Amino acid sequence: MSGRPDRLARWHGIPPGYTDAHGMRRRVPAASRRALLAALGVDPNGAAPDTPAPERTLTAGAARCFVPEWLEGAPAWGLFCQLYELRSGRNWGIGDFRDLADLAGIAGQAGADFLGVNPLHALFLAAPDRCSPFAPSHRSFLNPLYIAVDEVPGAGAPPDLTAARETDRVDYCRVGALKAAALREIFARAPFADDAARADHDDFVQERGSALYHHALFEALSGDRVRAGQGAGWHGWPEEYRSPQTAAVDAFAGRQGDDIAFHIWLQWIADRQLARAQKAARAAGMRIGLYLDLAVGAAPDGSSSWSGQTMLRGVRVGAPPDLFQTGGQDWGLAAPSPEALEAQDFAPFRAMIRAQLAHAGALRVDHAMGLWQLFLIPDGVSAREGGYLRYPTRDMLRVLAEESHKARAIIVGEDLGSVPRGFRAVMAQARVLSYRLLYFEQTERGFLPPRRYPESALACLSTHDLPTLADWWQGHDIAQRERFGLVDPETSAGHREDRQRERTDLVAALQKAGVLDHAPANGADLPPEILCAAHLFMARTPSLLAVARLADLVGPQAATNIPGTSEEEYPNWQLRSPTAIEDLRANVTFQKVAGLLSQARPRFR
């Protein structure tokens, strides 16, 4: 990367300070600023460039993402779930692409127009316990653990799955071992059902090109290094394996061609099963279909950084201190290099977006502020000492809009947390839908009425990093943040007082909106009528999309993920639904909420 400050100043910079989400001015420590500049390849002791102001508006001719005309006349509703949490009588202890297709059919028949899921990105097959979907190895490829093995032609009788199916948590190591063994057996015996399947596989390989080969090479090498006791990520490997352009890696590839071919085959199988899920969604009447999720960054020791996918080294993505995380957040993710993206005319970014939209009608961009700036933390310091790096917003939005129109897919930007001034206006002009949560849409006067929600938005109760409505009502999230030391006891006491007031305010807002007759605000458990009323409240907003979270309807009630906790503290990304997919049609709460949403948002008006 060029070390010229004037080059850096063309489109991004490290400001000496910033304003957080609460309007407080914070300074970036000088040492952290020097470390950030060094990570960017800029001489930290050189002359500081003139930092350009962020783009506050786009020009009249700026690119705009795809939004179908019919949506403005008939706003849609959908369902959202964590794919791994799905329980069924046929899966292997983890939700899979067949479950996704089956749930799409059920939701579509119930009136939903889209089905959202967590990021499906490739993780580390050799280390299944690295299970966070938001810390992927590579965002352009898929997680093979979601393959429905029984749907692969040539699959034999499954092993004993009793233990895997009965658990309340996904046992990733058990599931990974079972699926890897079964898939390797199919691949060794008969990887293709017929000549047409082989030709389809070859077309897929040709289309995905060298990026697919390098990812498969990484996965094969990762498995080999795990067996050698060096870990799945390349940071723990000997120097000769830390880049694909070495003699040692070339020699490995020559010896392990079959293993590399196996990982390529897995990506083909996963891609085709995901495509079938999208077809099932559309066949069930969904006007949008699958609503996928793009993680904000990638694991720093994963496939994308190993293969040279424009990732910065020496810094990690996180978030500054706020009311929920007084010490800030360190997400431990690698960030893309703005200059490297520009040098390649944003080809890696384009390829990543195209991969996400290949089998989707909508895409959620996690932490969409990453199109504008990212909060980076230099190695060796805490999140309190990070600073912002600006990104080429206009060019990234241009690419996003172009791919959105090619795929005829809606783009939703998750704009929660520290939102820069002017950011939402720019996203609205680019037709990137905002992301509005009931919990956050309130002032000192109470919850905003439905009419105050923007039209260009997706409205919902909560998301994977926030409690279900039942947990919110009971204050479990407040207790957990205090328990894990994320906030101090004094702050938690204030949060408990606020929550009691919020419960009263929510009931008042639901009654004022005409969706609730009467319900107590001081009961220990969430009244079912409030759950239904809250969903109807969201459905009556003018927002183009409204979504119900499956966990709110049928469980699991407990938190999906508690940011800032480790796997030793809390089972993040592991909890399974207590309700099987096959039982949804008979589930009273599911059918009641689906009926209310369909009445408020019919497909045709």
Side-chain angles (χ1 to χ4, degrees):
M1 188 171 183
S2 170
R4 293 175 54 194
D6 61 323
R7 185 84 174 123
L8 178 72
R10 283 177 55 194
W11 31 250
H12 70 274
I14 301 293
Y18 59 91
T19 302
D20 69 13
H22 312 292
M24 297 296 293
R25 187 67 182 168
R26 297 181 180 274
R27 291 196 63 79
V28 178
S32 296
R33 190 171 188 273
R34 287 194 296 270
L36 287 166
L37 290 170
L40 294 168
V42 177
D43 179 4
N45 297 314
D50 292 330
T51 302
E55 297 163 284
R56 300 301 184 194
T57 60
L58 299 180
T59 63
R64 291 160 65 84
C65 293
F66 174 79
V67 175
E69 291 183 6
W70 57 260
L71 187 59
E72 297 182 1
W77 75 272
L79 193 66
F80 175 81
C81 70
Q82 304 291 319
L83 180 53
Y84 63 81
E85 77 185 1
L86 298 184
R87 186 183 295 270
S88 71
R90 48 149 295 281
N91 75 32
W92 288 32
I94 185 172
D96 57 31
F97 290 129
R98 168 62 188 275
D99 290 327
L100 185 62
D102 290 346
L103 180 58
I106 294 169
Q109 291 167 12
D113 274 316
F114 59 96
L115 174 59
V117 290
N118 55 279
L120 305 178
H121 309 317
L123 302 181
F124 295 80
L125 192 58
D129 55 326
R130 294 184 61 169
C131 60
S132 171
F134 289 93
S137 177
H138 204 303
R139 291 181 288 175
S140 291
F141 299 104
L142 295 168
N143 183 355
L145 287 188
Y146 291 135
I147 290 174
V149 179
D150 55 321
E151 296 285 299
V152 180
D160 183 3
L161 299 171
T162 303
R165 286 175 175 163
E166 291 181 350
T167 60
D168 293 328
R169 302 180 184 179
V170 177
D171 186 339
Y172 285 97
C173 290
R174 183 200 299 268
V175 168
L178 290 174
K179 288 200 170 186
L183 291 165
R184 284 188 181 278
E185 194 275 333
I186 299 171
F187 180 76
R189 179 167 40 83
F192 305 108
D194 49 36
D195 290 342
R198 183 184 295 273
D200 184 59
H201 167 273
D202 293 346
D203 289 343
F204 175 76
V205 172
Q206 180 71 25
E207 176 187 346
R208 303 304 294 272
S210 61
L212 172 61
Y213 174 80
H214 281 111
H215 175 68
L217 173 59
F218 175 89
E219 283 288 271
L221 186 56
S222 176
D224 181 76
R225 292 299 89 197
V226 165
R227 290 186 289 274
Q230 296 168 356
W234 64 266
H235 286 182
W237 301 350
E239 189 64 34
E240 62 265 27
Y241 291 121
R242 293 191 175 191
S243 167
Q245 287 85 34
T246 68
V249 172
D250 285 344
F252 174 86
R255 297 191 306 269
Q256 299 295 328
D258 286 347
D259 198 23
I260 296 169
F262 169 68
H263 288 285
I264 290 174
W265 179 79
L266 288 180
Q267 289 301 316
W268 170 66
I269 292 291
D271 181 88
R272 287 345 189 208
Q273 287 196 354
L274 181 60
R276 286 198 288 275
Q278 171 68 342
K279 290 179 181 177
R282 300 304 293 267
M286 288 188 175
R287 294 178 292 173
I288 296 171
L290 297 183
Y291 164 46
L292 301 187
D293 201 339
L294 174 68
V296 65
D301 60 345
S303 169
S304 58
S305 62
W306 180 79
S307 55
Q309 289 288 309
T310 68
M311 308 303 283
L312 292 170
R313 299 186 180 185
V315 292
R316 309 176 307 283
V317 181
D322 61 23
L323 291 176
F324 297 103
Q325 304 274 346
T326 54
Q329 297 180 53
D330 184 344
W331 300 337
L333 300 174
S337 161
E339 188 169 51
L341 288 174
E342 185 191 54
Q344 299 181 54
D345 193 25
F346 299 89
F349 180 69
R350 183 183 297 278
M352 180 177 66
I353 298 301
R354 185 171 296 176
Q356 303 308 306
L357 298 182
H359 310 302
L363 177 67
R364 174 187 179 272
V365 179
D366 183 51
H367 193 72
M369 287 78 74
L371 298 169
W372 179 298
Q373 64 186 26
L374 283 175
F375 189 79
L376 300 184
I377 308 161
D379 290 347
V381 304
S382 73
R384 288 180 177 274
E385 301 174 276
Y388 280 107
L389 170 67
R390 293 177 185 148
Y391 280 78
T393 303
R394 189 185 307 277
D395 287 323
M396 296 179 79
L397 286 175
R398 170 180 55 82
V399 172
L400 187 62
E402 289 170 357
E403 295 303 318
S404 166
H405 279 276
K406 287 178 182 177
R408 297 183 65 80
I410 300 164
I411 305 298
V412 179
E414 188 263 295
D415 51 356
L416 305 176
S418 297
V419 181
R421 186 177 293 110
F423 175 77
R424 279 179 164 168
V426 168
M427 295 300 107
Q429 188 177 352
R431 298 308 302 273
V432 175
L433 302 192
S434 185
Y435 196 71
R436 299 303 174 97
L437 303 186
L438 174 69
Y439 299 162
F440 295 163
E441 295 301 302
Q442 54 177 309
T443 68
E444 65 279 359
R445 295 183 178 181
F447 287 85
L448 297 181
R451 69 177 185 278
R452 293 281 301 277
Y453 283 65
E455 177 181 305
S456 184
L458 177 147
C460 54
L461 300 185
S462 70
T463 187
H464 57 267
D465 286 337
L466 295 169
T468 58
L469 188 60
D471 257 16
W472 179 89
W473 184 267
Q474 295 171 337
H476 288 172
D477 56 313
I478 298 172
Q480 287 172 327
R481 287 196 298 271
E482 181 179 354
R483 172 189 172 193
F484 297 123
L486 302 176
V487 296
D488 57 65
E490 292 76 18
T491 302
S492 290
H495 287 172
R496 290 189 183 92
E497 292 180 6
D498 291 342
R499 184 60 51 82
Q500 184 59 50
R501 174 187 53 77
E502 287 177 319
R503 285 175 22 158
T504 301
D505 287 348
L506 177 60
V507 170
L510 297 178
Q511 290 174 329
K512 187 173 183 180
V515 296
L516 179 68
D517 292 330
H518 173 73
N522 54 3
D525 296 327
L526 175 71
E529 56 266 42
I530 289 182
L531 176 68
C532 291
H535 282 92
L536 185 55
F537 182 93
M538 303 307 289
R540 289 188 177 178
T541 69
S543 299
L544 295 178
L545 302 179
V547 64
R549 187 175 169 189
L550 186 64
D552 273 316
L553 309 184
V554 300
Q557 177 181 319
T560 297
N561 174 57
I562 301 178
T565 61
S566 66
E567 61 183 27
E568 291 80 17
E569 294 172 311
Y570 188 81
N572 296 312
W573 315 113
Q574 297 175 44
L575 300 183
R576 303 182 67 206
S577 175
T579 307
I581 294 173
E582 298 91 340
D583 297 331
L584 289 180
R585 288 190 174 91
N587 185 277
V588 175
T589 302
F590 178 84
Q591 293 299 329
K592 175 68 172 177
V593 172
L596 290 171
L597 294 173
S598 293
Q599 290 173 9
R601 292 176 172 243
R603 285 186 177 138
F604 304 102
R605 292 183 175 179

